[in-house]
Amino acid sequence: MSSEGALSSPWQAGRPLAGLDLTPVQNTALRFIAAHPGISSAELARRMHRTPQTMHKIVATLEHRELVRLQPRPGHGRVLGVEPTAPGRKLMDEADVVARAIEERMVAGLDEHQRQQLADLLQHCVTALGDPPGS
């Protein structure tokens, strides 16, 4: 398949999450927030390699949809922490179902040994990347 054909695939550009009205970046942000409740938008921006302005827009969108809430962080002055809401957690659960279906389709032609090899190789890639520079 050409790179042009790959980019037009329905599995590209987060289309499976479109049914949930959730972009891949929003999904990732929501997961970071759930894993680190109270994280500031600035810290979230650093961890996701986004500008503070971009992250502000992402968080504002999630907040407008009531998927996250901003709370004062004790001892941090005016800095607000971001926390997931119950609807945000529910949406993450729904996104997990979509992701599992994609993963299953992706490896459907592999036997158990091949699946384990793939998992090991992907883990090797993640380990090789380590922490991003400056983190």
Side-chain angles (χ1 to χ4, degrees), residues 103-114:
E103 290 169 2
E104 194 53 43
R105 182 173 176 193
M106 183 175 62
V107 298
L110 303 179
D111 64 32
E112 204 51 47
H113 177 72
Q114 291 169 320

Side-chain angles (χ1 to χ4, degrees), residues 1-111:
M1 176 182 291
S2 72
S3 61
E4 188 175 301
L7 292 176
S8 65
S9 165
W11 295 98
Q12 297 296 317
R15 286 190 182 149
L17 294 175
L20 300 177
D21 193 24
L22 190 66
T23 69
V25 172
Q26 290 170 342
N27 184 47
T28 301
L30 196 52
R31 289 180 187 288
F32 261 106
I33 292 164
H36 306 281
I39 191 170
S40 70
S41 286
E43 179 62 21
L44 191 58
R46 282 190 291 277
R47 290 183 181 213
M48 289 185 60
H49 309 285
R50 299 287 190 262
T51 65
Q53 297 84 354
T54 298
M55 189 52 60
H56 174 76
K57 289 177 186 175
I58 293 167
V59 169
T61 298
L62 295 173
E63 183 185 27
H64 177 75
R65 293 183 56 202
E66 299 182 355
L67 301 173
V68 300
R69 69 176 151 263
L70 299 174
Q71 299 282 87
R73 292 176 66 185
H76 287 87
R78 299 185 327 213
V79 176
L80 298 175
V82 187
E83 300 176 354
T85 61
R89 290 187 185 281
K90 182 177 183 291
L91 187 62
M92 283 191 305
D93 290 344
E94 293 171 14
D96 284 344
V97 171
V98 171
R100 279 193 295 280
I102 293 168
E103 290 169 2
E104 194 53 43
R105 182 173 176 193
M106 183 175 62
V107 298
L110 303 179
D111 64 32

